[in-house]
Amino acid sequence: MMEKIKLLRYNTGNDKKVFLQFKDDFDAVIFNASIVAHSRNAIADLVSVHMNKYIVDPQTYILQHDISVIANSKGVLKESVRKYFEQLPSFLMESISFGKNQFSIDEIDAHLTELVEKVYDFQVSYINQVMKDKEYNKYLEFLDISPKPKLVIAPYFMLKAQYDSIERQKWIELNRKSLMQMMERSIDFSVATQLVLDAEVLKNLDVDEIVSAYNITGYDYIFIWINDFIPIKAKEEYQETFV
């Protein structure tokens, strides 16, 4: 089993001074992909300091949202999301431009192989290209340093409270399929996955189903994120399922 890793999550440019101050006290800094796409220069500056201690969260669960959730007050896709989607399979922006409001599991599954490839490339290459554009590479090459992510995260999808058991199982299977494809794609980096769910899902979650889906060899980390969940305040049945 891999050792636990201590993460700091970057939210805004105001966080930079904290990351610099405590750069020796954590294992990796994790950035949301949309922030990387939107604030590429600021992220490149941080990575030039933290080098091999960064992780990009691919945020692919946002493909499950209604477009209104990731749109601005004018109903237009938020700039940060748009910039990120432009790095992903072209069917996303093409579909949205034709009025698509939400993607189904079948649509995502049909493009999963390309999505895995694009997500991998974004995590591995995007920041390095920005650093190259800023000509940081001249100094890094002189020092024989090549920044790279600590690990890559497979595309993942959320188990939402409104899903019934059949739909939930389909999303779990898609997560498993995505993880296996990422393991095949990633030769040079450790692989992680994310298990993301609404707190209400804990009420009827089939834990054996989760274990069966994720009990495969070849990846090193799983990040568990439960939306709107505070363990010490949660109902006992929710706490037990969480444990």
Side-chain angles (χ1 to χ4, degrees):
M1 179 179 289
M2 301 294 288
E3 293 183 359
K4 297 182 181 68
I5 52 177
K6 294 181 292 183
L7 303 177
L8 282 181
R9 182 174 287 274
Y10 178 93
N11 293 302
T12 70
N14 294 330
D15 294 339
K16 287 179 67 174
K17 60 183 180 181
V18 176
F19 282 80
L20 294 174
Q21 181 179 355
F22 295 103
K23 64 185 180 67
D24 297 322
D25 298 315
F26 60 92
D27 299 310
V29 50
I30 186 166
F31 306 101
N32 283 343
S34 58
I35 292 177
V36 172
H38 183 64
S39 305
R40 56 202 305 263
N41 291 329
I43 301 302
D45 291 343
L46 268 177
V47 169
S48 69
V49 175
H50 297 301
M51 293 302 174
N52 303 338
K53 296 175 65 173
Y54 75 90
I55 299 171
V56 178
D57 180 345
Q59 287 184 288
T60 42
Y61 69 92
I62 60 178
L63 299 180
Q64 298 169 268
H65 291 336
D66 186 281
I67 298 302
S68 62
V69 176
I70 50 178
N72 59 26
S73 58
K74 297 180 180 179
V76 178
L77 206 63
K78 292 177 181 177
E79 185 178 5
S80 59
V81 177
R82 177 184 60 78
K83 287 182 176 180
Y84 178 44
F85 277 10
E86 287 173 349
Q87 305 299 318
L88 298 182
S90 58
F91 90 95
L92 292 173
M93 290 304 297
E94 290 171 358
S95 299
I96 291 171
S97 67
F98 281 104
K100 187 75 175 179
N101 291 323
Q102 194 166 13
F103 295 98
S104 70
I105 187 170
D106 291 335
E107 290 170 315
I108 296 173
D109 191 16
H111 295 87
L112 185 64
T113 299
E114 185 183 6
L115 180 63
V116 169
E117 184 72 24
K118 293 289 187 179
V119 163
Y120 176 87
D121 288 343
F122 185 84
Q123 293 179 69
V124 170
S125 305
Y126 188 81
I127 294 177
N128 274 16
Q129 183 57 52
V130 175
M131 297 178 75
K132 184 176 181 180
D133 293 342
K134 291 169 70 73
E135 299 189 342
Y136 285 171
N137 61 307
K138 294 180 180 179
Y139 306 101
L140 298 176
E141 289 171 1
F142 176 76
L143 297 171
D144 195 25
I145 297 173
S146 179
K148 58 185 180 181
K150 185 175 182 66
L151 52 82
V152 293
I153 302 174
Y156 62 93
F157 303 96
M158 185 175 185
L159 308 182
K160 296 187 176 184
Q162 66 262 35
Y163 295 161
D164 60 26
S165 59
I166 296 175
E167 191 170 11
R168 190 181 304 154
Q169 184 179 24
K170 289 181 178 180
W171 285 110
I172 291 172
E173 284 301 315
L174 189 63
N175 283 340
R176 176 187 171 90
K177 183 177 177 180
S178 171
L179 174 58
M180 294 183 72
Q181 288 192 16
M182 180 60 86
M183 289 190 297
E184 292 176 0
R185 175 65 183 84
S186 181
I187 300 173
D188 300 322
F189 300 95
S190 294
V191 174
T193 187
Q194 290 204 50
L195 175 61
V196 181
L197 56 147
D198 282 327
E200 284 296 312
V201 174
L202 291 172
K203 184 176 181 180
N204 298 307
L205 186 65
D206 185 340
V207 178
D208 290 336
E209 183 179 43
I210 296 294
V211 171
S212 177
Y214 290 97
N215 189 23
I216 53 181
T217 59
Y219 72 103
D220 297 311
Y221 297 100
I222 180 167
F223 301 152
I224 301 176
W225 168 26
I226 303 178
N227 188 40
D228 196 26
F229 179 71
I230 303 174
I232 60 174
K233 294 183 179 180
K235 297 177 181 178
E236 185 175 351
E237 59 183 316
Y238 289 19
Q239 291 176 339
E240 290 176 354
T241 305
F242 173 60
V243 171

